[in-house]
Amino acid sequence: MVGHREEEPVYEIAVAVPKRRVKEGDESEDCVEVLVDEFRKAGLITDRVVGIADEFIKLAAPLETLGRTAAKLRMRKPTHIGMDLQFEWEDVNAFVRQPDGSLFSWCERFHFYRHLIYGIVNKSQSDIILKWDMEEIHWERGEPLLQRLESESIVKQVFPMHIETKRKELLRSWALNWLDFTKQPIDDIYSYFGTKIAVYFAFLGMYTRWMLFPAGLGLISQLIDFGPFQLLVLPIFFVSITLWAVMFFQFWKRKNSALLTRWQISYSVEADPGYDLGYKLSGKEWSLVQSTVELAGKEGQDRRKDKEKFQREEWFGAFLRVRNDAIVILCIICLQLPFELAYAHLYEVVGSDVIKFGLTAIYLFLIQHFTRIGGKVSVQLINHEKNVSREYRADSLVYKVFGLYFMQSYIGLFYHALLHRNFKTLRQVLIQRLIISEVLENLWENSFPYLKYSYKKHKVRKNKRHEKGSTRGKIQFASRVEKEYLKPSYSASIGEELEDGLFDDFLELALQFGMIMMFACVFPLAFAFAALVCPVQNNITEIRTDALKLLVIMKRPEPRTSVTIGAWLNIFQFLIVMSICTNSALLVCLYDQEGKWKIEPGLAAILVMEHVLLLIKFGVSRFVPEEPAWVRANRVKNATQAQDVCSKQLLRTISAKATKDD
């Protein structure tokens, strides 16, 4: 095999351990020294950094270590002939590299790191006694060392590190690049953060560009007087934005498939329970997977009984999901609905605009916390469901929590629009909510993590001064790894058990999309307001603030393998259907209230238009393929090449066997 050039080690993982308070003479039994030694035996490069309060072990993996780990895990990778074959380090040149030239993606490398560091076990025939600050720790035979030290609070955290050169390059070309408002280095984002975050920013960038069309159309419809055709302006605008939304999501599917093809990723990765990037299945999930494997592997036994048992498990899991959904719905109806209606009614009877604005601010602030509590309850309910993978669990959580936020965000608007038919108040509420919700979200997403990070640094400095017995003198954080350790994790506000911070980002987008789509006929300027006008936060600045949050404020997130936007796509599709229904009803109420037509023919026209739009919405997917032609052609070409190679190998095998028999 051709030798690989040696490169400077790139430290991507850090392990935080507390400083030793007692210096012992023999360090051979010190648990941290043993851990570092085992890291090196596993082929990792280590670098120890002493911080103000803790000590850190930085880890880097040479390419050969990563390659041999991939071969050991029997990982399959795409080759130059189009086939996905089991990776072999000796045949490394046969495999396709990543867009940035690296052999393995960040998702794959993180998976290898987890396997290497958590795969260190006691292989001796007896327990090993380790020491830490005059205490003895028994490392049992066959027990993973890192998990043992985590249970003893000796290993405080294992986290990915930012790579400073790449981080600064992304800051320059992405987060701080305001020359092109929607241009993003998606391939670089994928190489640095992984698939899920790259797909989110690709979606956000495309959504922002496409938003310019309804924003411009809304401005034209409100600023230009069309004279005798003014009556048709709102219906035409309604039809146009509906077609825009349908076409956008169809073309997003095409872009998504093109990105996955460019990154050499197949959809099967998401559903493969064996491709687990650091996530540990719970006992119930693992037993369900094991039962599936056992059922598939049994030969000669009573398969009928096994099949019935597996079906019972499947239907029982479905029953648990339905039960939990019913609990969430009942909580919404019994607890949240009365509170929402009380706020909407109070808004109607209050006369002062200042008081209304303050009432909306207080309401949104309180309801955010109440809904987050509901989200945490949903997490606990999901822990009792039997979902076979992390993605199914995450999707179940998304549906439940979005139901809570859907009620919180829209029930008051429905109250003003359909019960009171007060469209002036409805427009006022829409403007206030777009402003206040964006301000609150911006403060929560960016200010709170920064304040949390600043408080942690202050606490470390305070403890250090207390140890020295002096309140004077400035204490500087000299090591970058310690600063990253103190930064908050990129996790969802409802908890980090299932989802990362993209949960809140997608939730914010979905709520905004629903608000501007479902009430478009009442307030066409909402699109321009969301895309361009809002001075605090709009979709253009959302790209940059989210990028800065990831690169500056937060730890480097653990990569996730989601290859699509998952359940959020179904939620956006649901909101499109809802917008067709609500805007049809709003047009009837609006024109009937203003006396612009008689209710009977007007209602008939709106109902016809509603049914036509629903047919168009579900029919567009039949006419606009979800894959570009070059993606399909590439897949067919790879399949043909793979078939040719397999045929040639099979013919050689048959020929060799026939020759041997002769």
Side-chain angles (χ1 to χ4, degrees), residues 217 262 266 391 418 472 542:
L217 194 62
R262 194 164 76 204
S266 62
E391 294 304 323
L418 303 179
R472 296 182 178 181
E542 179 75 14

Side-chain angles (χ1 to χ4, degrees), residues 93-112:
N93 293 326
F95 296 92
V96 178
R97 290 182 173 264
Q98 299 295 312
D100 63 345
S102 60
L103 182 60
F104 300 106
S105 68
W106 168 228
C107 293
E108 293 166 342
R109 295 199 306 275
F110 184 78
H111 182 42
F112 300 156

